[in-house]
Amino acid sequence: SKLVSGLTKTRDNIISGIDSVFNGFSNIDEEFYEELEEILIMGDLGVETTENILDELKAKVKENHIKEPKDCKELLLESIKNQMSLSEDAYDFEDKRTVILVIGVNGVGKTTTIGKLSSQFKEKGKKVILAAADTFRAAATEQLKEWANRAGVDIISGSEGADPGSIVFDAVAAAKARNADILICDTAGRLHNKKNLMDELGKLNKIINREFEGVNRETFVVLDATTGQNALMQAKEFNEVADVTGVILTKMDGTAKGGIAIAIESELEIPVKYIGVGEGINDLQRFDPETFVSALFA
Ligand code: GDP
C-alpha cells in the first residue's frame, strides 16, 4: 500500500536496526537494551519516549520471565503503540460542521496539505470551502487557488496584504450561505513572533466564534517530518500559543525519521491526525498508531 511504501525510509532505518539488535543477542541483558535505545533515538523517537518504551518493555519482560530477545519483540511493538495517545474519536470532526484553522511555518507543506485534505473530504461527500487567509506571503493565495481547483472546492480570497480577518469573515458567511460542511482556513500562522501569532489567531477565533455559533473547531499544525526533532520543537511552541487539536506530519516519504510521529503523540499528547506520504493529491493518510506500527514492521 501507499502507506507501507511511503514509510520505506523510516522502516529501513528503525526496523533493520531493531532486527539486527534482536538477531545479535541471544540473551536479554543491559547491553541489549542499550542497543535498542540507540536505535529508537536514532529513529527520532526522542529520549523521553524511548525511555518510556524501554521501561514498559523491561517491566513486561520481567513479569513474563522472558529470557530471549525473540520472545519480546511483540512486546516491544506493543510498548511503542502504547506511547501513542490518539483517541478513538479523532476523526469525528469530519462528520460535524467544522472550521479548521491551519498553521505552520513556510515550506512545511501547508498549502499542499490543505489541498489534499479538501480533496479527501470532498470525496467523502462533504462540501468544503477554503479561506485563503494567509495574505502575508505573496504567492500563497494563488497556490491555494490552484489546489482548490484541483480538488474541485470553492475558495474565498482577497488581495495580497488583505486583512485575514475580513477573509475569514467572508468565508464564514459563504460557508453558512452555501451550507458547507467543512471550512478550512489557511492562516499566516508563523512562529517568529509568538505574540503576533497569538493575536492573529485570537482575532480569527473571535470572528469564527461570533459569526458561526456552535460550529465545531479544530486547529491543525503542519510539520515537516524530515526536520526530525525540530518538528517536535515547533509542535511544542505552537501548542503554547494556540489550542492545537491535531498535528499533520508531511514528507514522511522523504525521511528516515518518521519516529517523530511517536514522539509527538507521546511527549505532547497531541494526536497526529494525518501524515503526508508524497506530493500528489491522494498522498495523505489518516494516522492510526496500529496501522503505522504495522506498516513500519511490515
Ligand atoms: P507551504 O510553504 O508550507 O505552503 O508548503 P507547500 O505546500 O508549498 O509545499 C512545499 C514543498 O513540499 C512542495 O514542493 C510540496 O510538493 C512538498 N510536499 C508537501 N507535502 C509533501 C509530502 O507529504 N511528501 C513530499 N515528498 N513532499 C511534500
Side-chain angles (χ1 to χ4, degrees), residues 50-175:
T50 298
E51 294 299 321
N52 291 341
I53 290 169
L54 291 180
D55 284 350
E56 189 180 322
L57 180 65
K58 285 175 190 173
K60 283 180 186 159
V61 163
K62 207 168 170 190
E63 195 185 309
N64 296 296
H65 309 289
I66 294 172
K67 297 275 179 289
E68 291 180 45
K70 67 175 171 47
D71 296 323
C72 76
K73 202 164 174 185
E74 275 307 311
L75 293 178
L76 173 65
L77 302 197
E78 221 174 275
S79 305
I80 295 175
K81 282 179 202 165
N82 287 343
Q83 291 303 311
M84 295 186 267
S85 56
L86 195 65
S87 62
E88 303 266 302
D89 54 5
Y91 301 97
D92 278 7
F93 73 91
E94 290 185 358
D95 295 315
K96 292 176 184 163
R97 220 169 188 213
T98 292
V99 178
I100 305 171
L101 289 185
V102 184
I103 56 183
V105 306
N106 271 347
V108 293
K110 186 161 62 94
T111 315
T112 306
T113 299
I114 293 173
K116 291 171 176 176
L117 276 178
S118 306
S119 166
Q120 200 171 100
F121 294 151
K122 193 185 169 190
E123 272 172 23
K124 287 182 176 157
K126 309 292 172 194
K127 182 158 179 62
V128 179
I129 294 186
L130 300 186
D134 181 354
T135 57
F136 186 78
R137 188 160 55 113
T141 296
E142 283 318 306
Q143 231 183 317
L144 196 66
K145 277 184 184 166
E146 280 172 31
W147 276 105
N149 231 339
R150 239 171 269 166
V153 303
D154 293 349
I155 179 165
I156 306 297
S157 61
S159 51
E160 194 187 321
D163 172 27
S166 76
I167 292 169
V168 167
F169 182 92
D170 289 348
V172 166

Side-chain angles (χ1 to χ4, degrees), residues 23-42:
N23 294 332
F25 285 83
S26 44
N27 288 309
I28 298 177
D29 54 18
E30 215 26 62
E31 211 183 322
F32 166 77
Y33 285 124
E34 272 167 25
E35 296 227 352
L36 267 188
E37 179 176 16
E38 201 180 310
I39 297 293
L40 295 177
I41 288 174
M42 265 170 26

